[in-house]
Amino acid sequence: MTNRLPLVFGALLALGLSYPISAQEGPIVVYNAQHETLAQEWATAFTEETGIPVIIRQGADLEVANQIIQEGANSPADVFLTENSPGMVLVDGAGLFEPLPQDILDQVPAQFRPESGSWTGIAARSTVFAYNKDALSEGDLPKTMAELAEPEWEGRWAASPSGADFQAIVAAYLVLKGDEATLDWLIGMQANAVIVRGNRAAMAAANNGEVDGALIYHYYWFGDQAGTKESSGNTALHYFGNQDPGAFVSISGGGVLKSSQHKEEALAFLRFITSAKGQDVLRDGQSFEYAVGVDHESNPALPPLAGLGAPAIDPAQLDTVKAAELMTEAGLL
């Protein structure tokens, strides 16, 4: 990782260890593409629990994934965390992850991790359509994400296609509908969507009446609602459901690198994140991302994840390289 990426240090506390690991080992280095505040909450809670210090080096999903691939066996990273799973898929495809022990895998349901067992889900976020309540009634809302590519939606919705968030949505569309249908949808998007930079900007455009709606992930809306409501006060959320591509749930991932010099501590960190205490950080905090631990509750403000009607997609199938090629062909990148 380059020195330009900020470092955040977990506190080293003289507490009794609940994990059979020496606090003299480490610190562990986490290459983090999740939200920095959430990763720091996990790191702080882990250090308080174990006494093991954590160094967080921050970057974007695919940027960090490619950095790890470039570093290969010489990577100083012990753990990789992402917002969306395609970054995990890239690193896994390069054969750089340590296979996870069964006790870690068993803490997360099978639908939230790849069959390979080389990494696991740690959190989740749902695709939603945030719409301006003055512009649209429930009867006006698109029943499928595909409708947003139809002529009647020209200039009426916003999105941020350049980021990893949206490219994961396109990768899911690719899995569900195939190359031709995905390219057709992207061409329709290029004609219809108001392109902005960032999900918050897309949501704000809908809130301000610049567009009727925006395709985003749910937690941006809930986070703003919990604060000033400056960018969401005039909006509501529409969940597509019915296994539609617009109901795609993206999985944030975590894995331990083969290059790690502190594998026991790195595995303990991932074990902690996926445990009840680690998932409590999602339930009780302000990230508003879904908990994915077995039988674990999410933030009570969120509609239950099981009721969203998300399509079943193996996160290992998401191919953002192909998605980016099709987006480039459609003129979106």
Side-chain angles (χ1 to χ4, degrees), residues 121-271:
I122 56 174
R125 63 276 299 278
S126 173
T127 311
V128 294
F129 188 68
Y131 66 94
N132 186 293
K133 294 182 289 187
D134 295 328
L136 297 173
S137 65
E138 289 190 12
D140 300 323
L141 295 169
K143 293 180 176 59
T144 68
M145 196 172 82
E147 290 182 27
L148 295 173
E150 296 177 0
E152 56 265 34
W153 282 96
E154 183 177 356
R156 296 176 59 196
W157 62 286
S160 176
S162 61
D165 281 357
F166 199 88
Q167 290 173 33
I169 295 172
V170 176
Y173 203 104
L174 185 61
V175 170
L176 294 166
K177 300 296 184 181
D179 291 20
E180 184 176 352
T182 301
L183 180 59
D184 287 345
W185 187 81
L186 291 170
I187 291 171
M189 176 184 171
Q190 199 279 335
N192 288 352
V194 174
I195 304 302
V196 298
R197 187 170 183 82
N199 283 273
R200 289 184 179 86
M203 180 174 66
N207 187 68
N208 298 335
E210 299 167 32
V211 291
D212 293 347
L215 201 61
I216 61 171
Y217 282 142
H218 78 278
Y219 64 89
Y220 291 99
W221 189 88
F222 283 97
D224 194 70
Q225 286 281 303
T228 64
K229 301 183 181 181
E230 180 181 3
S231 298
S232 67
N234 298 327
T235 65
L237 294 187
H238 171 51
Y239 292 83
F240 289 97
N242 299 311
Q243 290 74 53
D244 187 76
F248 166 63
V249 169
S250 182
I251 305 303
S252 298
V256 172
L257 296 171
K258 287 181 178 178
S259 60
S260 171
Q261 298 300 303
H262 309 97
K263 283 194 177 71
E264 288 188 25
E265 294 88 342
L267 288 168
F269 181 64
L270 199 55
R271 184 176 291 113

